[in-house]
Amino acid sequence: MSLAVSYTRAQVGVEAPEVIVEVHLSNGLPYLAIVGLPEAAVKESKDRVRGALQNSQFEFPLRRITINLAPADLPKEGGRFDLPIALGILAASAQVPVQALRDYEFLGELALSGELRPVRGVLPAALQARHAGRTLVVPVANAGEAALVTGAKVLAASHLLEVCAHLNGQRPLPWAVANELERVSDEHDLADVRGQPHAKRALEIAASGGHSLLMIGPPGTGKTMLAARLPGILPPMSEEEAVETAAIHSISDQGFNPRAWRRRPFRSPHHTASGVALVGGGSHPRPGEISLAHNGVMFLDELPEFDRRVLEVLREPLESARIVISRAARQAEFPARFQLIAAMNPCPCGYLGDPNGRCHCTPDQIQRYRSRLSGPLLDRIDLQIEMPRPPKEALRAATTTEGETSADVRARVMQTRQRQLQRQGKANAQLNNRELAKVAALADRDHALLEHAIERFRLSPRAYHRILRLARTVADIAALPRVETAHLTEALTYRALDKAVV
């Protein structure tokens, strides 16, 4: 009887738990059994592995083969286990050294010819392999992605024969190298937006403190243009943020594009999107738009046109920065720290307040339109600004650059974020109430001003703290240690919908 052990990784949400592949050969009629909660694609691997071994000129043992994927209570899915299963069979039948498998982890789907095909979720596996101190062997198509993890030891192979030659000490596999990506210049520059100084100021504040923003204005006033330019003024992603974001995209259906490395994601789902599309789900939970926007921006255009039940799913991740998807058989948790940017018209026709008098909406129609957005959701949006139609003079000389570029604003945003990181280790939007009380203490007269605003606008305690966070960010932009009256007053001006109901 022979026994061999190889190591690999499963995929559960953004986690990559270790799976031990145990292969046991015993006497008896030829038979191959896979145990350990395998799903259909894993059960079918026995046929792929048999074909790959035979076409690679290896001997497939004509014995009773039992393959155990431990832990037994962890569901296994996909073709990622083909390679470790094949190597376990070869080691158990003394065609490769058993001891050679100890320091490696293997991922890869086998073609019948023995070629290695790419699999999903390689980046989380590379992270865990680094923590375990093992070398990860992956298909060549996944090598550039896995090598993005700093400190990870990753080998790239294109065929089962290459892996076996490496394990037998005949021909070493090459180390995987992160893809050399040319830096793609951002085509969306803030200087392209004509007029709207108030909205540009709000966008800078949102970027500086990580705040959410709602823009309200007629069609064609630049709401979508401003939203598309927010990623260009945000600080660069740290190594940790880049790995987190890439790991989520790696396990999604669309996969990870290495050209997007260190680029903050910008997601803009259509207003017909369902709640599952935003949150994620499925029998095998996959991340939705909310998690795919992690460490980036999610833009919801025509906000009231979304189904109200769909919008309500945003409330919890806006507070907790995570999504937990529960199914009967399993539970998956995905990170979801994103900046929400939304845009809406002031009324159903979009022309409320138009100087040409084109709006014919009744007050009841306007109220029904705005009531599609619940109070609890609006409460969680830090900045709510109105964007009137810019004067026609601002549209002249379209070829002439007006105002600051995205690079100019990004430099200020980075300085402001650095002040916040030095003081509290996080952006102002992430402060809890106790931390906020320490860094945004108000003078007595400012407390009175804020209390008067709370009473007049009938604001909730949540809105109270969000105004304080905004005021703290405004003070940080001015490089001042304390929140002063001017900062608090400016923060109060960014509550357009609260003032509209007074």
Side-chain angles (χ1 to χ4, degrees):
M1 294 187 294
S2 301
L3 177 68
V5 175
S6 62
Y7 301 94
T8 184
R9 297 278 166 180
Q11 178 189 320
V12 181
V14 291
E15 302 297 326
E18 180 185 72
V19 173
I20 301 173
V21 181
E22 301 172 330
V23 179
H24 178 226
L25 303 185
S26 59
N27 295 327
L29 293 176
Y31 179 75
L32 191 154
I34 301 178
V35 298
L37 214 57
E39 301 201 354
V42 183
K43 292 179 180 178
E44 293 169 353
S45 69
K46 59 185 180 182
D47 297 315
R48 293 192 297 271
V49 168
R50 181 185 290 109
L53 292 180
Q54 292 175 342
N55 288 319
S56 300
Q57 307 306 312
F58 288 108
E59 177 189 352
F60 189 83
L62 296 178
R63 303 172 66 184
R64 186 176 184 88
I65 305 173
T66 304
I67 300 171
N68 179 39
L69 306 178
D73 60 347
L74 178 70
K76 288 83 175 180
E77 59 171 328
R80 61 200 295 121
F81 303 103
D82 289 2
L83 179 59
I85 287 174
L87 293 173
I89 293 174
L90 291 175
S93 57
Q95 298 180 73
V96 297
V98 175
Q99 297 81 2
L101 303 180
R102 294 177 180 175
D103 298 326
Y104 296 93
E105 294 183 7
F106 305 93
L107 284 177
E109 178 182 329
L110 284 173
L112 295 181
S113 63
E115 293 182 358
L116 290 179
R117 290 173 174 162
V119 296
R120 188 167 47 212
V122 166
L123 201 61
L127 282 168
Q128 295 302 318
R130 181 186 66 180
H131 294 157
R134 298 193 188 101
T135 300
L136 181 65
V137 179
V138 298
V140 168
N142 292 127
E145 175 186 340
L148 293 173
V149 179
T150 302
K153 295 181 290 183
V154 181
L155 296 174
S158 60
H159 199 280
L160 175 63
L161 288 172
E162 295 180 3
V163 181
C164 294
H166 175 86
L167 295 175
N168 285 317
Q170 297 170 348
R171 188 170 62 253
L173 287 172
W175 293 103
V177 179
N179 295 333
E180 291 292 333
L181 306 177
E182 55 180 285
R183 305 305 296 174
V184 180
S185 59
D186 196 342
E187 60 182 10
H188 301 300
D189 198 288
L190 201 58
D192 298 333
V193 182
R194 305 299 175 185
Q196 304 294 5
H198 181 62
K200 291 179 181 179
R201 169 70 172 175
L203 196 71
E204 180 178 345
I205 294 173
S208 298
H211 303 287
S212 51
L213 169 65
L214 171 61
M215 297 174 283
I216 310 160
T221 54
K223 303 186 293 296
T224 303
M225 288 184 67
L226 281 169
R229 281 149 181 78
L230 177 59
I233 66 174
L234 289 172
M237 297 178 77
S238 65
E239 178 79 13
E240 181 180 0
E241 288 177 328
V243 170
E244 286 179 354
T245 301
I248 296 172
H249 286 256
S250 176
I251 66 173
S252 68
D253 291 331
Q254 65 189 30
F256 172 67
N257 178 10
R259 290 180 61 83
W261 176 246
R262 285 187 177 272
R263 290 174 64 87
R264 293 194 180 272
F266 181 83
R267 309 294 298 187
S268 181
H270 193 262
H271 64 260
T272 57
S274 65
V276 173
L278 262 61
V279 173
S283 57
H284 305 294
R286 294 277 187 267
E289 292 289 338
I290 290 175
S291 293
L292 292 173
H294 182 58
N295 290 321
V297 177
M298 186 166 72
F299 175 50
L300 301 183
D301 202 3
E302 306 295 344
L303 187 64
E305 300 300 331
F306 282 82
D307 186 274
R308 179 163 177 156
R309 290 172 297 180
V310 172
L311 292 179
E312 294 307 297
V313 306
L314 294 170
R315 288 161 53 177
E316 294 173 0
L318 280 172
E319 291 287 336
S320 63
R322 67 190 183 100
I323 286 285
V324 178
I325 301 174
S326 297
R327 294 293 180 264
R330 67 185 67 182
Q331 185 182 77
E333 179 176 328
F334 299 108
R337 187 177 301 283
F338 62 95
Q339 274 192 259
L340 174 63
I341 306 297
M344 61 178 285
N345 294 328
C347 66
C349 77
Y351 294 103
L352 179 65
D354 189 279
N356 297 326
R358 286 192 286 174
C359 178
H360 301 289
C361 300
T362 65
D364 285 344
Q365 290 174 325
I366 297 172
Q367 179 60 31
R368 283 196 300 270
Y369 178 74
R370 295 194 175 189
S371 65
R372 296 178 187 175
L373 307 178
S374 69
L377 175 62
L378 291 175
D379 227 16
R380 289 168 167 82
I381 299 179
D382 300 331
L383 295 96
Q384 305 162 8
I385 63 169
E386 294 179 318
M387 291 181 59
R389 191 176 303 282
K392 57 182 179 296
E393 293 81 8
L395 305 178
R396 295 177 181 174
T399 58
T400 303
T401 300
E402 175 190 324
E404 295 179 303
T405 64
S406 292
D408 297 331
V409 179
R410 182 170 60 246
R412 285 202 304 271
V413 168
M414 291 173 61
Q415 292 175 356
T416 304
R417 281 286 184 101
Q418 189 60 34
R419 297 184 189 107
Q420 296 169 18
L421 293 176
Q422 291 175 351
R423 182 180 62 234
Q424 69 230 9
K426 62 179 74 172
N428 287 338
Q430 301 170 20
L431 291 171
N432 60 39
N433 294 346
R434 182 176 299 178
E435 295 167 335
L436 184 62
K438 294 180 181 178
V439 302
L442 299 178
D444 291 340
R445 68 175 183 276
D446 294 331
H447 266 300
L449 172 63
L450 184 53
E451 289 168 0
H452 175 71
I454 293 295
E455 181 179 357
R456 176 172 173 76
F457 298 150
R458 298 193 288 275
L459 301 178
S460 68
R462 180 185 289 113
Y464 169 90
H465 290 107
R466 289 186 179 274
I467 291 171
L468 272 182
R469 292 187 185 96
L470 271 182
R472 179 64 265 178
T473 299
V474 175
D476 287 337
I477 293 175
L480 295 176
R482 290 184 58 85
V483 176
E484 300 178 356
T485 305
H487 310 140
L488 184 60
T489 303
E490 182 176 356
L492 286 169
T493 65
Y494 299 119
R495 304 295 299 188
L497 290 182
D498 293 324
K499 292 182 289 184
V501 299
V502 175

PDB file of all heavy atoms in Angstrom, residues 232-260:
ATOM      1  N   GLY A 232      -9.421  59.719 -10.199  1.00  0.00           N
ATOM      2  CA  GLY A 232      -8.193  60.403 -10.594  1.00  0.00           C
ATOM      3  C   GLY A 232      -7.638  61.345  -9.554  1.00  0.00           C
ATOM      4  O   GLY A 232      -6.480  61.758  -9.655  1.00  0.00           O
ATOM      5  N   ILE A 233      -8.440  61.709  -8.546  1.00  0.00           N
ATOM      6  CA  ILE A 233      -7.924  62.599  -7.492  1.00  0.00           C
ATOM      7  C   ILE A 233      -7.771  61.877  -6.161  1.00  0.00           C
ATOM      8  O   ILE A 233      -7.363  62.488  -5.171  1.00  0.00           O
ATOM      9  CB  ILE A 233      -8.824  63.844  -7.322  1.00  0.00           C
ATOM     10  CG1 ILE A 233     -10.212  63.450  -6.800  1.00  0.00           C
ATOM     11  CG2 ILE A 233      -8.939  64.615  -8.623  1.00  0.00           C
ATOM     12  CD1 ILE A 233     -11.092  64.652  -6.475  1.00  0.00           C
ATOM     13  N   LEU A 234      -8.087  60.588  -6.131  1.00  0.00           N
ATOM     14  CA  LEU A 234      -7.892  59.822  -4.905  1.00  0.00           C
ATOM     15  C   LEU A 234      -6.413  59.461  -4.734  1.00  0.00           C
ATOM     16  O   LEU A 234      -5.684  59.341  -5.715  1.00  0.00           O
ATOM     17  CB  LEU A 234      -8.723  58.541  -4.942  1.00  0.00           C
ATOM     18  CG  LEU A 234     -10.238  58.706  -4.815  1.00  0.00           C
ATOM     19  CD1 LEU A 234     -10.926  57.377  -5.065  1.00  0.00           C
ATOM     20  CD2 LEU A 234     -10.606  59.256  -3.449  1.00  0.00           C
ATOM     21  N   PRO A 235      -5.952  59.272  -3.503  1.00  0.00           N
ATOM     22  CA  PRO A 235      -4.556  58.873  -3.283  1.00  0.00           C
ATOM     23  C   PRO A 235      -4.272  57.515  -3.916  1.00  0.00           C
ATOM     24  O   PRO A 235      -5.185  56.689  -4.081  1.00  0.00           O
ATOM     25  CB  PRO A 235      -4.445  58.802  -1.752  1.00  0.00           C
ATOM     26  CG  PRO A 235      -5.596  59.587  -1.231  1.00  0.00           C
ATOM     27  CD  PRO A 235      -6.685  59.459  -2.238  1.00  0.00           C
ATOM     28  N   PRO A 236      -3.025  57.251  -4.294  1.00  0.00           N
ATOM     29  CA  PRO A 236      -2.683  55.927  -4.850  1.00  0.00           C
ATOM     30  C   PRO A 236      -2.975  54.821  -3.842  1.00  0.00           C
ATOM     31  O   PRO A 236      -2.937  55.040  -2.628  1.00  0.00           O
ATOM     32  CB  PRO A 236      -1.178  56.042  -5.137  1.00  0.00           C
ATOM     33  CG  PRO A 236      -0.891  57.506  -5.174  1.00  0.00           C
ATOM     34  CD  PRO A 236      -1.861  58.159  -4.245  1.00  0.00           C
ATOM     35  N   MET A 237      -3.259  53.642  -4.363  1.00  0.00           N
ATOM     36  CA  MET A 237      -3.536  52.509  -3.486  1.00  0.00           C
ATOM     37  C   MET A 237      -2.252  52.010  -2.828  1.00  0.00           C
ATOM     38  O   MET A 237      -1.206  51.949  -3.462  1.00  0.00           O
ATOM     39  CB  MET A 237      -4.177  51.373  -4.277  1.00  0.00           C
ATOM     40  CG  MET A 237      -5.526  51.706  -4.880  1.00  0.00           C
ATOM     41  SD  MET A 237      -6.208  50.343  -5.850  1.00  0.00           S
ATOM     42  CE  MET A 237      -6.778  49.265  -4.547  1.00  0.00           C
ATOM     43  N   SER A 238      -2.363  51.656  -1.560  1.00  0.00           N
ATOM     44  CA  SER A 238      -1.238  51.026  -0.881  1.00  0.00           C
ATOM     45  C   SER A 238      -1.111  49.582  -1.359  1.00  0.00           C
ATOM     46  O   SER A 238      -2.001  49.039  -2.020  1.00  0.00           O
ATOM     47  CB  SER A 238      -1.443  51.065   0.633  1.00  0.00           C
ATOM     48  OG  SER A 238      -2.565  50.271   0.991  1.00  0.00           O
ATOM     49  N   GLU A 239       0.001  48.946  -0.998  1.00  0.00           N
ATOM     50  CA  GLU A 239       0.201  47.541  -1.373  1.00  0.00           C
ATOM     51  C   GLU A 239      -0.921  46.662  -0.809  1.00  0.00           C
ATOM     52  O   GLU A 239      -1.459  45.787  -1.497  1.00  0.00           O
ATOM     53  CB  GLU A 239       1.556  47.056  -0.843  1.00  0.00           C
ATOM     54  CG  GLU A 239       1.865  45.598  -1.127  1.00  0.00           C
ATOM     55  CD  GLU A 239       2.349  45.358  -2.548  1.00  0.00           C
ATOM     56  OE1 GLU A 239       2.679  46.340  -3.239  1.00  0.00           O
ATOM     57  OE2 GLU A 239       2.376  44.185  -2.956  1.00  0.00           O
ATOM     58  N   GLU A 240      -1.279  46.907   0.442  1.00  0.00           N
ATOM     59  CA  GLU A 240      -2.329  46.106   1.080  1.00  0.00           C
ATOM     60  C   GLU A 240      -3.672  46.305   0.392  1.00  0.00           C
ATOM     61  O   GLU A 240      -4.405  45.343   0.131  1.00  0.00           O
ATOM     62  CB  GLU A 240      -2.435  46.475   2.559  1.00  0.00           C
ATOM     63  CG  GLU A 240      -3.481  45.678   3.318  1.00  0.00           C
ATOM     64  CD  GLU A 240      -3.562  46.079   4.783  1.00  0.00           C
ATOM     65  OE1 GLU A 240      -2.795  46.977   5.200  1.00  0.00           O
ATOM     66  OE2 GLU A 240      -4.404  45.509   5.503  1.00  0.00           O
ATOM     67  N   GLU A 241      -4.012  47.554   0.079  1.00  0.00           N
ATOM     68  CA  GLU A 241      -5.277  47.827  -0.609  1.00  0.00           C
ATOM     69  C   GLU A 241      -5.295  47.190  -1.991  1.00  0.00           C
ATOM     70  O   GLU A 241      -6.322  46.628  -2.413  1.00  0.00           O
ATOM     71  CB  GLU A 241      -5.489  49.340  -0.723  1.00  0.00           C
ATOM     72  CG  GLU A 241      -5.823  50.039   0.567  1.00  0.00           C
ATOM     73  CD  GLU A 241      -5.955  51.541   0.388  1.00  0.00           C
ATOM     74  OE1 GLU A 241      -5.246  52.097  -0.473  1.00  0.00           O
ATOM     75  OE2 GLU A 241      -6.754  52.165   1.113  1.00  0.00           O
ATOM     76  N   ALA A 242      -4.181  47.285  -2.711  1.00  0.00           N
ATOM     77  CA  ALA A 242      -4.126  46.721  -4.055  1.00  0.00           C
ATOM     78  C   ALA A 242      -4.321  45.213  -4.034  1.00  0.00           C
ATOM     79  O   ALA A 242      -5.028  44.654  -4.877  1.00  0.00           O
ATOM     80  CB  ALA A 242      -2.788  47.075  -4.709  1.00  0.00           C
ATOM     81  N   VAL A 243      -3.711  44.533  -3.063  1.00  0.00           N
ATOM     82  CA  VAL A 243      -3.848  43.078  -2.967  1.00  0.00           C
ATOM     83  C   VAL A 243      -5.280  42.705  -2.602  1.00  0.00           C
ATOM     84  O   VAL A 243      -5.856  41.763  -3.161  1.00  0.00           O
ATOM     85  CB  VAL A 243      -2.850  42.519  -1.932  1.00  0.00           C
ATOM     86  CG1 VAL A 243      -3.152  41.053  -1.637  1.00  0.00           C
ATOM     87  CG2 VAL A 243      -1.429  42.664  -2.444  1.00  0.00           C
ATOM     88  N   GLU A 244      -5.890  43.447  -1.658  1.00  0.00           N
ATOM     89  CA  GLU A 244      -7.281  43.163  -1.275  1.00  0.00           C
ATOM     90  C   GLU A 244      -8.212  43.293  -2.475  1.00  0.00           C
ATOM     91  O   GLU A 244      -9.064  42.429  -2.726  1.00  0.00           O
ATOM     92  CB  GLU A 244      -7.726  44.131  -0.171  1.00  0.00           C
ATOM     93  CG  GLU A 244      -7.148  43.861   1.196  1.00  0.00           C
ATOM     94  CD  GLU A 244      -7.624  44.888   2.205  1.00  0.00           C
ATOM     95  OE1 GLU A 244      -8.305  45.854   1.794  1.00  0.00           O
ATOM     96  OE2 GLU A 244      -7.332  44.723   3.397  1.00  0.00           O
ATOM     97  N   THR A 245      -8.054  44.392  -3.209  1.00  0.00           N
ATOM     98  CA  THR A 245      -8.929  44.631  -4.355  1.00  0.00           C
ATOM     99  C   THR A 245      -8.703  43.597  -5.438  1.00  0.00           C
ATOM    100  O   THR A 245      -9.660  43.062  -6.024  1.00  0.00           O
ATOM    101  CB  THR A 245      -8.676  46.044  -4.912  1.00  0.00           C
ATOM    102  OG1 THR A 245      -8.920  47.001  -3.874  1.00  0.00           O
ATOM    103  CG2 THR A 245      -9.586  46.343  -6.085  1.00  0.00           C
ATOM    104  N   ALA A 246      -7.450  43.281  -5.727  1.00  0.00           N
ATOM    105  CA  ALA A 246      -7.158  42.290  -6.756  1.00  0.00           C
ATOM    106  C   ALA A 246      -7.672  40.910  -6.364  1.00  0.00           C
ATOM    107  O   ALA A 246      -8.121  40.144  -7.223  1.00  0.00           O
ATOM    108  CB  ALA A 246      -5.656  42.236  -7.017  1.00  0.00           C
ATOM    109  N   ALA A 247      -7.628  40.584  -5.068  1.00  0.00           N
ATOM    110  CA  ALA A 247      -8.103  39.278  -4.618  1.00  0.00           C
ATOM    111  C   ALA A 247      -9.600  39.124  -4.866  1.00  0.00           C
ATOM    112  O   ALA A 247     -10.069  38.057  -5.268  1.00  0.00           O
ATOM    113  CB  ALA A 247      -7.788  39.090  -3.135  1.00  0.00           C
ATOM    114  N   ILE A 248     -10.361  40.195  -4.648  1.00  0.00           N
ATOM    115  CA  ILE A 248     -11.810  40.140  -4.887  1.00  0.00           C
ATOM    116  C   ILE A 248     -12.086  39.950  -6.367  1.00  0.00           C
ATOM    117  O   ILE A 248     -12.918  39.120  -6.763  1.00  0.00           O
ATOM    118  CB  ILE A 248     -12.489  41.417  -4.358  1.00  0.00           C
ATOM    119  CG1 ILE A 248     -12.323  41.509  -2.845  1.00  0.00           C
ATOM    120  CG2 ILE A 248     -13.965  41.438  -4.728  1.00  0.00           C
ATOM    121  CD1 ILE A 248     -12.790  42.820  -2.265  1.00  0.00           C
ATOM    122  N   HIS A 249     -11.402  40.707  -7.209  1.00  0.00           N
ATOM    123  CA  HIS A 249     -11.611  40.564  -8.652  1.00  0.00           C
ATOM    124  C   HIS A 249     -11.134  39.198  -9.137  1.00  0.00           C
ATOM    125  O   HIS A 249     -11.681  38.652 -10.105  1.00  0.00           O
ATOM    126  CB  HIS A 249     -10.886  41.681  -9.398  1.00  0.00           C
ATOM    127  CG  HIS A 249     -11.557  43.013  -9.291  1.00  0.00           C
ATOM    128  ND1 HIS A 249     -12.295  43.567 -10.314  1.00  0.00           N
ATOM    129  CD2 HIS A 249     -11.640  43.890  -8.265  1.00  0.00           C
ATOM    130  CE1 HIS A 249     -12.790  44.735  -9.930  1.00  0.00           C
ATOM    131  NE2 HIS A 249     -12.402  44.948  -8.692  1.00  0.00           N
ATOM    132  N   SER A 250     -10.129  38.638  -8.476  1.00  0.00           N
ATOM    133  CA  SER A 250      -9.587  37.346  -8.894  1.00  0.00           C
ATOM    134  C   SER A 250     -10.618  36.230  -8.754  1.00  0.00           C
ATOM    135  O   SER A 250     -10.645  35.299  -9.568  1.00  0.00           O
ATOM    136  CB  SER A 250      -8.346  37.014  -8.061  1.00  0.00           C
ATOM    137  OG  SER A 250      -7.847  35.741  -8.361  1.00  0.00           O
ATOM    138  N   ILE A 251     -11.493  36.320  -7.733  1.00  0.00           N
ATOM    139  CA  ILE A 251     -12.481  35.255  -7.512  1.00  0.00           C
ATOM    140  C   ILE A 251     -13.806  35.549  -8.194  1.00  0.00           C
ATOM    141  O   ILE A 251     -14.716  34.722  -8.155  1.00  0.00           O
ATOM    142  CB  ILE A 251     -12.723  35.037  -6.007  1.00  0.00           C
ATOM    143  CG1 ILE A 251     -13.387  36.273  -5.388  1.00  0.00           C
ATOM    144  CG2 ILE A 251     -11.436  34.690  -5.299  1.00  0.00           C
ATOM    145  CD1 ILE A 251     -13.801  36.074  -3.957  1.00  0.00           C
ATOM    146  N   SER A 252     -13.930  36.718  -8.830  1.00  0.00           N
ATOM    147  CA  SER A 252     -15.184  37.059  -9.496  1.00  0.00           C
ATOM    148  C   SER A 252     -15.269  36.361 -10.847  1.00  0.00           C
ATOM    149  O   SER A 252     -14.286  35.827 -11.362  1.00  0.00           O
ATOM    150  CB  SER A 252     -15.291  38.578  -9.686  1.00  0.00           C
ATOM    151  OG  SER A 252     -14.342  39.040 -10.625  1.00  0.00           O
ATOM    152  N   ASP A 253     -16.462  36.398 -11.439  1.00  0.00           N
ATOM    153  CA  ASP A 253     -16.656  35.743 -12.725  1.00  0.00           C
ATOM    154  C   ASP A 253     -15.841  36.400 -13.834  1.00  0.00           C
ATOM    155  O   ASP A 253     -15.436  35.748 -14.788  1.00  0.00           O
ATOM    156  CB  ASP A 253     -18.143  35.764 -13.102  1.00  0.00           C
ATOM    157  CG  ASP A 253     -18.965  34.856 -12.198  1.00  0.00           C
ATOM    158  OD1 ASP A 253     -18.402  33.864 -11.704  1.00  0.00           O
ATOM    159  OD2 ASP A 253     -20.152  35.148 -11.974  1.00  0.00           O
ATOM    160  N   GLN A 254     -15.589  37.701 -13.717  1.00  0.00           N
ATOM    161  CA  GLN A 254     -14.857  38.397 -14.763  1.00  0.00           C
ATOM    162  C   GLN A 254     -13.357  38.246 -14.616  1.00  0.00           C
ATOM    163  O   GLN A 254     -12.600  38.522 -15.554  1.00  0.00           O
ATOM    164  CB  GLN A 254     -15.220  39.883 -14.748  1.00  0.00           C
ATOM    165  CG  GLN A 254     -14.786  40.608 -13.480  1.00  0.00           C
ATOM    166  CD  GLN A 254     -15.352  42.011 -13.394  1.00  0.00           C
ATOM    167  OE1 GLN A 254     -16.427  42.275 -13.904  1.00  0.00           O
ATOM    168  NE2 GLN A 254     -14.632  42.902 -12.749  1.00  0.00           N
ATOM    169  N   GLY A 255     -12.876  37.806 -13.449  1.00  0.00           N
ATOM    170  CA  GLY A 255     -11.444  37.609 -13.244  1.00  0.00           C
ATOM    171  C   GLY A 255     -10.713  38.928 -13.013  1.00  0.00           C
ATOM    172  O   GLY A 255     -11.287  40.014 -13.079  1.00  0.00           O
ATOM    173  N   PHE A 256      -9.415  38.802 -12.733  1.00  0.00           N
ATOM    174  CA  PHE A 256      -8.589  39.978 -12.450  1.00  0.00           C
ATOM    175  C   PHE A 256      -7.781  40.357 -13.687  1.00  0.00           C
ATOM    176  O   PHE A 256      -7.144  39.507 -14.307  1.00  0.00           O
ATOM    177  CB  PHE A 256      -7.646  39.685 -11.282  1.00  0.00           C
ATOM    178  CG  PHE A 256      -6.626  40.773 -11.050  1.00  0.00           C
ATOM    179  CD1 PHE A 256      -7.021  42.022 -10.620  1.00  0.00           C
ATOM    180  CD2 PHE A 256      -5.284  40.541 -11.286  1.00  0.00           C
ATOM    181  CE1 PHE A 256      -6.088  43.028 -10.411  1.00  0.00           C
ATOM    182  CE2 PHE A 256      -4.343  41.537 -11.075  1.00  0.00           C
ATOM    183  CZ  PHE A 256      -4.753  42.783 -10.636  1.00  0.00           C
ATOM    184  N   ASN A 257      -7.834  41.627 -14.031  1.00  0.00           N
ATOM    185  CA  ASN A 257      -7.050  42.157 -15.139  1.00  0.00           C
ATOM    186  C   ASN A 257      -5.771  42.779 -14.579  1.00  0.00           C
ATOM    187  O   ASN A 257      -5.840  43.800 -13.882  1.00  0.00           O
ATOM    188  CB  ASN A 257      -7.863  43.211 -15.900  1.00  0.00           C
ATOM    189  CG  ASN A 257      -7.074  43.827 -17.050  1.00  0.00           C
ATOM    190  OD1 ASN A 257      -6.000  43.346 -17.407  1.00  0.00           O
ATOM    191  ND2 ASN A 257      -7.604  44.893 -17.628  1.00  0.00           N
ATOM    192  N   PRO A 258      -4.603  42.190 -14.838  1.00  0.00           N
ATOM    193  CA  PRO A 258      -3.373  42.748 -14.275  1.00  0.00           C
ATOM    194  C   PRO A 258      -3.132  44.214 -14.643  1.00  0.00           C
ATOM    195  O   PRO A 258      -2.428  44.924 -13.923  1.00  0.00           O
ATOM    196  CB  PRO A 258      -2.273  41.841 -14.868  1.00  0.00           C
ATOM    197  CG  PRO A 258      -2.966  40.554 -15.146  1.00  0.00           C
ATOM    198  CD  PRO A 258      -4.350  40.945 -15.576  1.00  0.00           C
ATOM    199  N   ARG A 259      -3.714  44.697 -15.731  1.00  0.00           N
ATOM    200  CA  ARG A 259      -3.542  46.101 -16.097  1.00  0.00           C
ATOM    201  C   ARG A 259      -4.224  47.026 -15.094  1.00  0.00           C
ATOM    202  O   ARG A 259      -3.938  48.221 -15.067  1.00  0.00           O
ATOM    203  CB  ARG A 259      -4.094  46.357 -17.497  1.00  0.00           C
ATOM    204  CG  ARG A 259      -3.285  45.742 -18.624  1.00  0.00           C
ATOM    205  CD  ARG A 259      -3.900  46.044 -19.976  1.00  0.00           C
ATOM    206  NE  ARG A 259      -3.952  47.479 -20.245  1.00  0.00           N
ATOM    207  CZ  ARG A 259      -2.948  48.191 -20.729  1.00  0.00           C
ATOM    208  NH1 ARG A 259      -1.796  47.606 -20.993  1.00  0.00           N
ATOM    209  NH2 ARG A 259      -3.079  49.472 -20.956  1.00  0.00           N
ATOM    210  N   ALA A 260      -5.135  46.462 -14.289  1.00  0.00           N
ATOM    211  CA  ALA A 260      -5.831  47.267 -13.286  1.00  0.00           C
ATOM    212  C   ALA A 260      -5.093  47.286 -11.947  1.00  0.00           C
ATOM    213  O   ALA A 260      -5.618  47.827 -10.972  1.00  0.00           O
ATOM    214  CB  ALA A 260      -7.247  46.735 -13.083  1.00  0.00           C
TER     215      ALA A 260
END
